[in-house]
Amino acid sequence: MIERLKAIEERYNELTLELTKPEVLSNIKQTTALSKEQASLKEAYEAYQDYKKLKNDLEEASELTHDKELGEFAKTEVHRLNAEIKDLEARIEIILLPKDPNDEKNVIVEIRGAAGGDEANIFAGDLYRMYSKYAEKQGWKLDVLSEEHSDMGGYPLVEFMVKGDSVYSKLKYESGAHRVQRVPVTETQGRVHTSTATVLVMPEAEETSVEIKPGDLRIDVFRSTGAGGQCVNTTDSAVRITHLPSGIVVTCQNERSQIQNKEKCMQMLRTRLYEEELRKQEEELGNERKSKIGTGDRSEKIRTYNYPQNRVTDHRIGYTTKNLDRVMEGHLDDIIEALITEDQKRKLKGND
């Protein structure tokens, strides 16, 4: 552990020196890259500085334990410092865990109404609102890319991008089937129904991450429509792109111009192809997904939202809270923190 911390400290100091050089500061791209690397090392660097100080303080306190006047005070200090060092070592272990290279990325989220007809679509709309509220609380920006509206409310499908700091590190645990248990608005007998909606969270792909050949694309344009067929545009601005080798189809009609919709479509396509590539890589690694908090497969039931009992249960880690009303208002922090903590525990046990 100490050797790794020393290497991080050395690299951090090298970057600090590099970022003072005029030739580096005049190159925005290089400055951005070096600053980003330094920021990724900062937590470990600062923890190591704290660790060295505590060790030095412990050494000084230990030398005073035999002093007639200061001995008892020094022994108390030794006890306190040893406890602090132990806590810091545990924190450093977590800091030094291998980072998911996608953690800092923005995401594209797809929510689909699944089993349950109209009620599933309504629930998909509720999940979209929940994530919107959560994104707002995190200071993230949410941008709808594509949406299909249901006559009874909600969405058979809604896709949106979330931009901000370390979005994927928190939302990556949300992929899978979400189950709702409640009395639907369409139910006349007051019976509780079970419906599901699926969520897929994909890290945004950079242009260099995936190669897309123009000849592999079929691009169609058509007239955009608003909710329920209203607000029809007078121009054919909506865009549908089909990636012929994979069969992936993406659509965007939320922007005002055909060019903007095409750009969004290409962004969505790159992300879908990148996610498919990641999935294949993980399958080749064998048990990689088994050690994760869930498989990330949209068919896996990950969470139940029980309205009669105001309860939310995450089945992957056995976590239950009786604050469903708050969760649906975007208060997801406790659930996500529990998932992150469990993920870290598994990695510390060597299951990464």
Side-chain angles (χ1 to χ4, degrees), residues 102-108 140-141 161-168 201-205 267 271:
N102 292 313
D103 273 353
E104 302 300 314
K105 291 185 177 179
N106 300 325
V107 303
I108 289 179
W140 297 338
K141 181 185 176 185
M161 172 167 277
V162 186
K163 296 180 179 180
D165 294 332
S166 305
V167 179
Y168 186 70
V201 178
M202 299 167 283
E204 181 189 14
Q267 193 175 38
T271 295

Side-chain angles (χ1 to χ4, degrees), residues 114-274:
D118 289 334
E119 170 63 7
N121 295 337
I122 292 170
F123 179 51
D126 293 338
L127 290 176
Y128 167 68
R129 181 177 178 275
M130 177 184 78
Y131 291 126
S132 300
K133 293 278 189 181
Y134 179 65
E136 185 181 339
K137 294 178 195 304
Q138 296 295 312
W140 297 338
K141 181 185 176 185
L142 188 145
D143 184 17
V144 175
L145 301 172
S146 177
E147 56 189 336
E148 297 173 16
H149 292 269
S150 170
D151 292 338
M152 295 297 293
Y155 304 94
L157 169 67
V158 59
E159 295 174 281
F160 53 95
M161 172 167 277
V162 186
K163 296 180 179 180
D165 294 332
S166 305
V167 179
Y168 186 70
S169 70
K170 294 185 177 179
L171 289 185
K172 65 183 176 182
Y173 302 103
E174 296 302 298
S175 287
H178 295 241
R179 181 175 69 172
V180 63
Q181 294 173 327
R182 65 184 175 190
V183 179
V185 292
T186 54
E187 169 60 48
T188 58
Q189 304 297 319
R191 293 172 298 185
V192 173
H193 287 225
T194 298
S195 304
T196 58
T198 61
V199 176
L200 179 62
V201 178
M202 299 167 283
E204 181 189 14
E206 298 167 4
E207 288 193 36
T208 54
S209 302
V210 180
E211 182 186 0
I212 300 176
K213 299 175 182 177
D216 289 341
L217 303 178
R218 187 177 74 232
I219 302 175
D220 301 305
V221 295
F222 57 98
R223 188 153 296 176
S224 299
T225 58
Q230 302 299 311
C231 309
V232 179
N233 291 348
T234 56
T235 58
D236 292 343
S237 61
V239 176
R240 181 189 301 112
I241 297 180
T242 304
H243 185 250
L244 300 174
S246 66
I248 292 173
V249 180
V250 291
T251 303
C252 187
Q253 61 175 8
N254 285 61
E255 300 300 327
R256 291 182 177 274
S257 74
Q258 189 182 121
I259 293 174
Q260 289 173 317
N261 280 322
K262 184 180 177 183
E263 287 175 355
K264 287 287 177 67
C265 270
M266 289 302 294
Q267 193 175 38
M268 293 162 69
L269 179 59
R270 279 194 298 271
T271 295
R272 287 188 174 278
L273 289 170
Y274 182 58

